[in-house]
Amino acid sequence: MSEHRRKPPQPQGGGRAAARRGQSGSSSGRRAAPRGATGSPSDSYGSDVYDSGGEERQYGGRAEARRAAQRSTGGNRRRAAEPTRGGRRAGPGGPNGPGRGRGRAADVPDKKRLIDYPRAGKYGWQRWMPSWKLVSGLCIGFFGSLVAVAGIGYAMVGVPNEENAAALSQNNVYYWADGTQMVAAGSGQNRQNVTIARIPKAMQWAVISAENKSFYEDSGVDPMGIARALANMARGGDTQGGSTITQQFVKNTYLSQEQTVSRKFKEMFISIKVGTKVPKPVILQGYLNTSYYGRGAYGIQAAAQAYYGKNADKLEPSECAFLAALLKGPTYYDPAGNDGIDKTATPTANRKRSEARWSWILEQMHNDKRITDAEYQKAIKRYPTPQDRKASKGMTGQIGYLVDTAKKYVLNNSNISEKQFDLGGYQIKTTFKKENVEALARAVKTVEKEKLDPKKRELDKHVQFGAASVKPNDGAIVALYGGAGFENGHFNNNADTSGVPVGSTWKPFVLAAAMERGTYRSNGPLSPLSKYNGNDHLKVKNNDGSYVLKKDNTPFFQENESDYPWGYISLYKAMEQSVNTPFVQLGMDVGMKNVADLAEKSGILRSSFADLNASFALGTSTPSAIRMADAYATFAAAGKQAAPYSVTSVKYNGQDVQGFKKPRVTRAIPENVANNVTNVLENVIQNGTGKKALSLGRTAAGKTGTTDENKSAWFVGYTQQLSTSVAMFREDPKSAKLLSMNGTAGEKSIHGGDVPTLVWTEYMKAALEDEPDLGFPEAEEIGEIQHEAGAPSPTPTPSAEPSETVTESPSATPSESPTSPSPSPSETCGFFGCEDDGGAQNGGTGNGGTDGGASTEPSPTDTNLDGGNTRGNGNGGIFGGPEG
């Protein structure tokens, strides 16, 4: 057998017994003889280690040597890891050896601890892993504490003896600008409790099936629902959706509507008590009588009247399912829409949401065996469309629209929810002046009576007006006209709605952008004396000289209202006669984005903008009357802009509500740019399409606007004291699409210079009756004269350049603009002197550019082929969009 496989001899020291003897003698301090010193053959295989007493001793076998080495190494690791006392560690000799310290091994605690953590006798990660005893003890303690807290809370919280103020709804009081009361409106008179016997079973089961299937079995609370609500609250989200019917009844009846943890716990404890003490039918009756259904209706009886004009006990199962759907949020489930509060709550979107939830609730009732198969089939067959909104007491005439506008402003400028607001108790002071509101309504009625006769002319039917009047340099809305009145079934506020294209009233923004930024060819601001081709049916060019193409890659042609051959005319003249082609090409040269930016800075909401194609320059956008009046007020205030507002203060039960300071006035466009726009628009009234406003008898500026097929007509004008916009349109009452006004009022076509200008003038006469004629700030010449690319070089003439003498009244001696069937070239005199529009040739019609309609021919980027011909409901309104 080879040497290395031979079994080693036993150690001379006697193995383990010797090791034990060596331990007992460790205190003698004697060391064993070094291995090899005896000459024994086993010396070659033994291992040298120290025993626990510090003595080196011999081991005879490999296994024993290995175990000894492991014990030695492990001991060293333990000693390295164990805590010390007095900054010293036990030495390698153990507690009695030469390295003795005042420490002790970690696995030898001197007494048991109450909480064994970190764990004794464990090392590494095991030392920090809690034992199952510790974990279970902590869990028991935690849940025991919760039970104790719950018991204390349950004992301490009692059911209030009286209903809270929120359950007793009040009215909101609105005041005119002078502080006198306008109207008391709200739900204070729109609530009537009914007993459970008068609430149809279908209504009871619709609510239970939709919101709380276990209502008759549960204790009144849903622990998991509460946990979800608290988690949402901690994340800053909505707390709704975690309550039973009992909890909602408690919240509506006894508690405030604040979203806090303390209120949620109080609600839980009261609900448990109510659930054990109050019969379930009484709880359900209370819930249905205190819930909010929208339209200012609190309780099922008020809701039945508001939506179906009947008492609650007459409701059909289908109608019950509809009303139950409203409880999820009437702002989003009332088919009438509420996009003034949230732009997503349009009538179309709300109708879709309502139908989906209505059908789901009926399905749940059927699945729960609450209605028979026959009742389900009858109910699901037809959606129970509710009636239109009704005018409540005092909400007649223009008052309903004033209240509607002020309410939207409050909700959009505070943290008050619609439900909370409709509970009442608010005092709202508005900017509306009673005499102005009455004057505007009177102006509309006067012109309507004079021009329209729906009984004799079919085309005079469905004609509507919207108007607004704003203070320049302030933003206060002093008057508006929203429509025929709630009492006549007209609930859409025409002063604060979108969907009616503004036509040529948009052109001043194009000119202002050119005078501020210039074009891609100019070295700076462009003069309004620059000439552009005013002929009809022109191709529009891109900045690189290529033609703008339609989607079929054919050239896009811009049309005027007539084919009158204007030739190259100044922008000043093109604005006067509202010729389309110069402004479309100018918009392309300036950049439609620059035009949009200036319009937005002036006060137009970007959400109301149409696509930035070639036709954008002609007013395919659909801002509200309020926003148009406010944007023109920026010109009137020499370029200073103030956002429109309708509320100056809000109090809740006498205490001020924060967030209703007057909007800040800012510089929107350069002063001289605004003053030059005003000068050009003065000429529109003096010599152009707005001549009917001359009867105002004072200095004013304004612009007419008409769209394709005369579907809408506008006039927006201003003095330094007041800026007012008037819109006129026809609308299909079923589809809400705009209809042509050709033939309306017995005229071949209706333009902004016709009926809308008459309404504007009639109102402004009354509104400014006692005000002085302040005129306008004097404008300074602006920009360089740079004609359109391709225009013939100008031939120097005495009248080709602006007059060096600037008159204080730019239109003091105006010459007549072309009005005859065969106009000749004319001179137009104004701030810029007299210029010869030699491009106008004999022939054609006399209204060559009058209010030329906005073309709806699409450019390659055009996605709105109707040019805004379908009316919206607030997207472009003052408070309708995200910026409102």
Side-chain angles (χ1 to χ4, degrees):
M1 181 179 293
S2 65
E3 181 68 19
H4 71 275
R5 293 177 62 86
R6 185 186 316 128
K7 182 177 180 181
Q10 294 297 320
Q12 293 178 355
R16 294 182 180 178
R20 284 195 295 272
R21 287 194 298 272
Q23 289 176 351
S24 63
S26 62
S27 61
S28 67
R30 290 181 292 126
R31 297 178 64 87
R35 192 173 304 281
T38 62
S40 169
S42 66
D43 288 347
S44 302
Y45 301 100
S47 298
D48 297 336
V49 297
Y50 288 97
D51 65 10
S52 61
E55 253 188 80
E56 190 179 73
R57 52 197 170 92
Q58 296 179 337
Y59 294 88
R62 288 183 179 179
E64 188 64 28
R66 205 161 40 242
R67 286 192 293 271
Q70 289 171 351
R71 284 194 297 271
S72 176
T73 303
N76 288 335
R77 283 199 304 269
R78 287 192 295 274
R79 282 192 294 272
E82 70 185 6
T84 63
R85 289 185 182 179
R88 291 163 50 188
R89 188 187 308 279
N96 298 318
R100 185 178 67 182
R102 284 186 288 177
R104 64 179 182 271
D107 55 349
V108 189
D110 50 3
K111 65 178 182 179
K112 288 187 176 180
R113 292 178 292 174
L114 179 63
I115 300 178
D116 185 19
Y117 191 82
R119 297 173 67 185
K122 301 292 182 182
Y123 310 100
W125 64 270
Q126 291 180 325
R127 178 174 173 80
W128 303 100
M129 179 64 69
S131 66
W132 68 269
K133 292 181 179 179
L134 179 61
V135 172
S136 59
L138 289 175
C139 289
I140 293 172
F142 174 74
F143 287 109
S145 300
L146 285 182
V147 172
V149 170
I152 295 172
Y154 182 82
M156 293 181 64
V157 175
V159 178
N161 294 323
E162 298 180 356
E163 294 179 332
N164 67 354
L168 302 173
S169 55
Q170 309 171 56
N171 280 323
N172 293 319
V173 183
Y174 294 82
Y175 298 91
W176 295 105
D178 63 4
T180 58
Q181 182 172 320
M182 179 197 302
V183 68
S187 57
Q189 298 174 337
N190 197 20
R191 178 181 174 193
Q192 180 182 352
N193 290 341
V194 292
T195 63
I196 194 70
R198 294 180 58 194
I199 301 175
K201 286 289 186 182
M203 186 67 211
Q204 300 177 40
W205 289 120
V207 172
I208 293 172
S209 293
E211 299 190 26
N212 187 188
K213 290 180 181 291
S214 62
F215 170 69
Y216 278 104
E217 292 79 33
D218 62 39
S219 62
V221 297
D222 177 9
M224 293 304 296
I226 293 175
R228 287 193 302 271
L230 291 175
N232 289 338
M233 191 184 302
R235 293 193 297 264
D238 190 2
T239 61
Q240 294 180 352
S243 301
T244 63
I245 287 176
T246 304
Q247 287 175 264
Q248 294 179 65
F249 164 68
V250 167
K251 181 176 66 174
N252 292 343
T253 308
Y254 302 116
L255 300 174
S256 68
Q257 302 298 308
E258 60 180 345
Q259 305 279 349
T260 62
V261 174
S262 60
R263 188 201 58 76
K264 200 69 181 174
F265 275 110
K266 189 180 293 186
E267 171 193 307
M268 179 179 65
F269 292 132
I270 295 176
S271 297
I272 294 173
K273 285 195 172 183
V274 168
T276 57
K277 295 181 179 180
V278 181
K280 291 288 186 177
V282 175
I283 294 174
L284 184 59
Q285 169 186 296
Y287 172 62
L288 292 172
N289 278 326
T290 57
S291 294
Y292 182 61
Y293 296 80
R295 300 190 183 183
Y298 277 84
I300 185 62
Q301 174 65 17
Q305 289 290 345
Y307 288 93
Y308 294 109
K310 60 174 70 173
N311 290 327
D313 57 0
K314 302 297 182 182
L315 291 170
E316 300 291 333
S318 181
E319 296 167 339
C320 292
F322 169 85
L323 294 177
L326 291 172
L327 295 175
K328 192 171 178 65
T331 297
Y332 304 98
Y333 289 86
D334 182 353
N338 216 335
D339 46 359
I341 296 174
D342 190 324
K343 67 176 183 177
T344 65
T346 63
T348 301
N350 279 18
R351 172 69 180 249
K352 185 176 180 180
R353 280 188 286 260
S354 176
E355 285 197 37
R357 186 159 179 83
W358 161 78
S359 61
W360 177 82
I361 290 175
L362 286 175
E363 182 181 3
Q364 295 302 305
M365 295 171 67
H366 184 237
N367 293 343
D368 296 340
K369 308 298 183 184
R370 303 307 182 188
I371 54 176
T372 65
D373 293 345
E375 289 173 329
Y376 173 71
Q377 293 300 328
K378 180 181 178 182
I380 202 69
K381 187 175 182 179
R382 185 175 62 87
Y383 176 75
T385 303
Q387 63 187 15
D388 291 332
R389 289 191 178 99
K390 295 179 181 177
S392 56
K393 184 179 180 181
M395 300 286 280
T396 57
Q398 296 306 302
I399 300 299
Y401 306 116
L402 301 178
V403 168
D404 174 74
T405 303
K407 175 182 175 180
K408 289 177 183 178
Y409 189 85
V410 171
L411 298 182
N412 280 277
N413 288 273
S414 69
N415 293 323
I416 304 170
S417 68
E418 184 185 14
K419 178 179 179 180
Q420 184 178 356
F421 185 81
D422 284 347
L423 282 170
Y426 293 92
Q427 297 86 46
I428 303 99
K429 186 176 181 182
T430 72
T431 59
F432 305 126
K433 294 184 177 181
K434 184 177 182 180
E435 60 274 19
N436 288 59
V437 172
E438 291 176 346
L440 185 53
R442 189 165 55 247
V444 172
K445 296 301 179 185
T446 298
V447 175
E448 272 187 328
K449 185 176 180 180
E450 178 184 342
K451 293 289 184 178
L452 304 177
D453 191 348
K455 294 181 179 179
K456 292 183 179 180
R457 285 188 295 266
E458 183 70 23
L459 292 173
D460 286 2
K461 293 181 179 179
H462 312 308
V463 174
Q464 298 186 33
F465 290 87
S469 194
V470 174
K471 286 178 63 177
N473 212 24
D474 183 280
I477 307 169
V478 298
L480 55 80
Y481 181 85
F486 287 9
E487 70 276 19
N488 294 313
H490 186 89
F491 292 90
N492 198 45
N493 186 352
N494 291 345
D496 187 25
T497 188
S498 70
V500 182
V502 295
S504 294
T505 58
W506 196 260
K507 290 173 182 174
F509 301 126
V510 183
L511 181 61
M515 289 195 292
E516 179 180 1
R517 294 174 174 268
T519 69
Y520 75 99
R521 297 174 56 246
S522 68
N523 296 320
L526 196 71
S527 168
L529 288 181
S530 301
K531 291 187 176 182
Y532 274 69
N533 194 337
N535 288 334
D536 184 40
H537 194 66
L538 291 182
K539 295 178 183 178
V540 181
K541 294 181 181 179
N542 293 304
N543 293 171
D544 61 3
S546 63
Y547 292 115
V548 173
L549 302 178
K550 295 187 293 186
K551 289 182 178 179
D552 60 1
N553 288 325
T554 59
F556 165 64
F557 288 88
Q558 179 58 54
E559 310 291 337
N560 290 329
E561 186 179 17
S562 79
D563 59 0
Y564 183 79
W566 289 102
Y568 284 89
I569 57 174
S570 69
L571 298 171
Y572 188 79
K573 182 71 173 182
M575 186 74 76
E576 173 193 296
Q577 295 299 320
S578 200
V579 186
N580 287 341
T581 48
F583 287 99
V584 173
Q585 188 59 61
L586 178 64
M588 296 298 295
D589 293 351
V590 174
M592 294 302 179
K593 183 181 183 302
N594 292 329
V595 174
D597 290 344
L598 186 137
E600 184 177 23
K601 287 190 296 182
S602 299
I604 304 296
L605 293 179
R606 186 168 287 271
S607 59
S608 67
F609 287 173
D611 296 320
L612 302 185
N613 54 36
S615 296
F616 181 75
L618 298 182
T620 52
S621 297
T622 59
S624 68
I626 292 175
R627 284 288 171 177
M628 284 301 290
D630 184 66
Y632 271 51
T634 303
F635 299 139
K640 292 182 179 178
Q641 207 281 325
Y645 68 102
S646 59
V647 174
T648 57
S649 69
V650 176
K651 295 179 182 291
Y652 180 67
N653 290 331
Q655 300 297 316
D656 284 325
V657 177
Q658 299 302 310
F660 297 97
K661 293 182 180 179
K662 182 186 295 188
R664 189 164 58 95
V665 178
T666 61
R667 168 66 61 189
I669 55 179
E671 181 177 358
N672 197 39
V673 170
N675 290 342
N676 272 276
V677 170
T678 294
N679 179 267
V680 174
L681 297 186
E682 277 188 272
N683 184 57
V684 171
I685 292 179
Q686 293 289 341
N687 298 304
T689 58
K691 271 190 171 183
K692 289 183 178 178
L694 281 173
S695 62
L696 177 62
R698 64 173 65 222
T699 307
K703 182 69 186 77
T704 57
T706 309
T707 55
D708 277 353
E709 301 180 45
N710 300 113
K711 291 183 177 179
S712 63
W714 288 73
F715 185 79
V716 188
Y718 55 90
T719 65
Q720 281 205 64
Q721 299 102 321
L722 214 53
S723 175
T724 303
S725 65
V726 178
M728 176 183 178
F729 55 93
R730 284 185 72 220
E731 183 180 74
D732 185 331
K734 294 182 179 179
S735 65
K737 288 186 176 181
L738 298 183
L739 305 173
S740 174
M741 289 189 291
N742 291 334
T744 296
E747 302 288 344
K748 182 178 179 181
S749 60
I750 292 291
H751 299 91
D754 298 326
V755 176
T757 303
L758 292 176
V759 172
W760 182 90
T761 306
E762 189 78 16
Y763 162 70
M764 293 290 275
K765 282 180 181 179
L768 299 172
E769 184 176 8
D770 298 324
E771 299 290 335
D773 185 354
L774 300 179
F776 290 111
E778 186 174 333
E780 300 177 1
E781 293 184 26
I782 190 171
E784 64 171 319
I785 298 175
Q786 182 162 348
H787 303 319
E788 175 187 359
S793 299
T795 301
T797 64
S799 61
E801 298 293 335
S803 170
E804 293 183 2
T805 302
V806 179
T807 59
E808 184 172 344
S809 179
S811 301
T813 58
S815 64
E816 291 186 5
S817 59
T819 56
S820 64
S822 299
S824 61
S826 64
E827 284 188 343
T828 300
C829 297
F831 168 78
F832 298 100
C834 297
E835 53 165 330
D836 179 16
D837 291 305
Q841 304 297 325
N842 290 340
T845 59
N847 61 349
T850 303
D851 282 347
S855 171
T856 55
E857 283 287 347
S859 73
T861 59
D862 190 5
T863 58
N864 183 7
L865 303 185
D866 286 336
N869 288 339
T870 299
R871 190 172 173 213
N873 288 275
N875 187 37
I878 176 177
F879 313 121
E883 301 167 75

